[in-house]
Amino acid sequence: MKKILITGGAGFIGSHVVRHFVNKYPEYEIYNLDKLTYAGNLENLKDIENKSNYHFIKADIVDSDKMFEIFEKYCFDGVLHLAAESHVDRSILDPMAFIYTNVVGTVNLLNAARKIWEDDLEDKVFYHISTDEVYGSLGETGYFTEETPYRPNSPYSASKASSDHFVRAYYKTYNLPVKITNCSNNFGPYQFPEKLIPLIINNIKHNKPLPIYGKGLNIRDWLFVEDHVKAIDLVFHKGKRGETYNIGGSNEWTNIDLVRKICKIMDKKLNREEPAENLITFVKDRAGHDLRYAIDSSKIQNELGWKPEHSFEEALEKTIDWYLKSEEWLENVTSGNYQKYYELQYSKR
Ligand code: NAD
Ligand code: TYD
């Protein structure tokens, strides 16, 4: 019986990872450790919360004593580390929260794993889930490879870059069995509506302006979350220790084209007279806004046989349908503090 710790399992990607591991590997005991910040929501896991191999631990990874205590109590065999502050705009408003959770929190987990695994590193895995944003920004051509130098531009990406460096350093210095992946922008059900795709869907639903930063010409490479989860499963089980793998959708969109596409799909579904595109509003650009992200994922494709399986059109439509039917979920996550954040972020733009 293997004991697997998944941090940040109540968040967007984490909840998909937890669900996948709980359902696919009944022989594993899955421990979801999450602080339940604004972005963590146990409603994301309602369908699996009663499974006998699923366990929830509410804790903050910044609390080093607690991390030692938990690792000593459960003696995990593997760690999938997803807990993070994850939103660039919030990192511009308050960088310190990102340094605590993303840097200090990650190092606390590394120290706890190192301590309980010191006598036996056989079959152990510390897998750190990271972002392509650590590489900085591309111009109109080129791709991020695993060899691209780190040049993070936002407090979020700087904190993730720092955590990646610590993970790699613990491999080199202490031989901790680590793996790292750097993935492009995810989308899908359960994503908090501060990120572009769910924010636009939610605003169209409520007939609110659709804020586009700058001219809307920044480019992101979008990947359906379930394709990311398949890659995570492969790397966790078959990836090489000490290695980094880039994961991406080969699916580049300018923000404005993507938003127009969502508008068209939702016009059909909502059957409204006024086209949603009329809600598009160009607003002040994000500070330090990276122009383009694009991933060369040939390493994970060639070495581990991964490729994205979902077509973008179908996955986007599936995502929109999920948000349209998940009225109560949206209502719950956008009440209270979300309104305050929205006001702070968008009222003066
Ligand atoms: P999210 O913001 O939806 O969820 C983060 C989760 O971490 C939440 O459940 C939150 O409660 C938890 N958390 C935050 N601080 C914590 C703390 N101090 N202690 C314990 N738990 C804490 O994030 P996401 O979009 O699901 O991203 C998950 C991971 O994947 C992050 O590490 C992120 O950097 C990485 N990533 C995200 C994307 C993306 O497009 N969303 C792309 C590539 C990589
Ligand atoms: P986001 O979903 O925040 O992801 P990231 O910044 O990590 O790539 O943003 C995706 C793109 O959409 C990014 O170029 C910023 C832009 N954007 C807007 O134009 N308007 C918005 O309201 C948001 C949240 C993002």
Side-chain angles (χ1 to χ4, degrees), residues 192-324:
F192 193 79
E194 63 188 352
K195 307 279 180 5
L196 181 70
I197 291 182
L199 184 138
I200 294 297
I201 298 171
N202 187 40
N203 284 18
I204 294 176
K205 197 165 168 243
H206 292 97
N207 256 310
K208 279 172 61 176
L210 311 179
I212 310 284
Y213 300 164
K215 295 193 169 106
L217 297 178
N218 303 68
I219 292 173
R220 297 292 182 265
D221 169 1
W222 293 96
L223 180 71
F224 189 48
V225 63
E226 287 177 16
D227 282 323
H228 188 187
V229 172
K230 288 222 171 106
I232 289 175
D233 184 335
L234 267 177
V235 171
F236 182 73
H237 290 103
K238 302 203 170 117
K240 287 199 200 108
R241 286 174 172 204
E243 292 281 322
T244 286
Y245 298 87
N246 280 355
I247 305 168
S250 301
N251 177 41
E252 293 180 47
W253 287 81
T254 61
N255 293 335
I256 186 67
D257 284 349
L258 174 59
V259 169
R260 289 208 172 106
K261 187 172 184 66
I262 297 172
C263 287
K264 287 212 176 69
I265 299 175
M266 290 194 62
D267 280 345
K268 275 205 202 125
K269 293 194 184 286
L270 297 173
N271 215 2
R272 289 195 188 141
E273 274 179 24
E274 183 87 0
E277 277 198 35
N278 292 356
L279 295 167
I280 288 177
T281 311
F282 291 92
V283 300
K284 189 166 162 241
D285 208 350
R286 174 187 276 173
H289 198 172
D290 287 335
L291 177 68
R292 175 171 167 258
Y293 304 142
I295 284 275
D296 175 345
S297 57
S298 46
K299 179 174 172 184
I300 189 171
Q301 301 218 14
N302 296 336
E303 289 186 15
L304 303 182
W306 175 85
K307 63 173 180 353
E309 284 165 15
H310 292 84
S311 92
F312 182 57
E313 323 294 319
E314 276 169 34
L316 186 60
E317 189 151 347
K318 197 167 154 183
T319 301
I320 291 170
D321 286 340
W322 184 85
Y323 279 93
L324 288 176

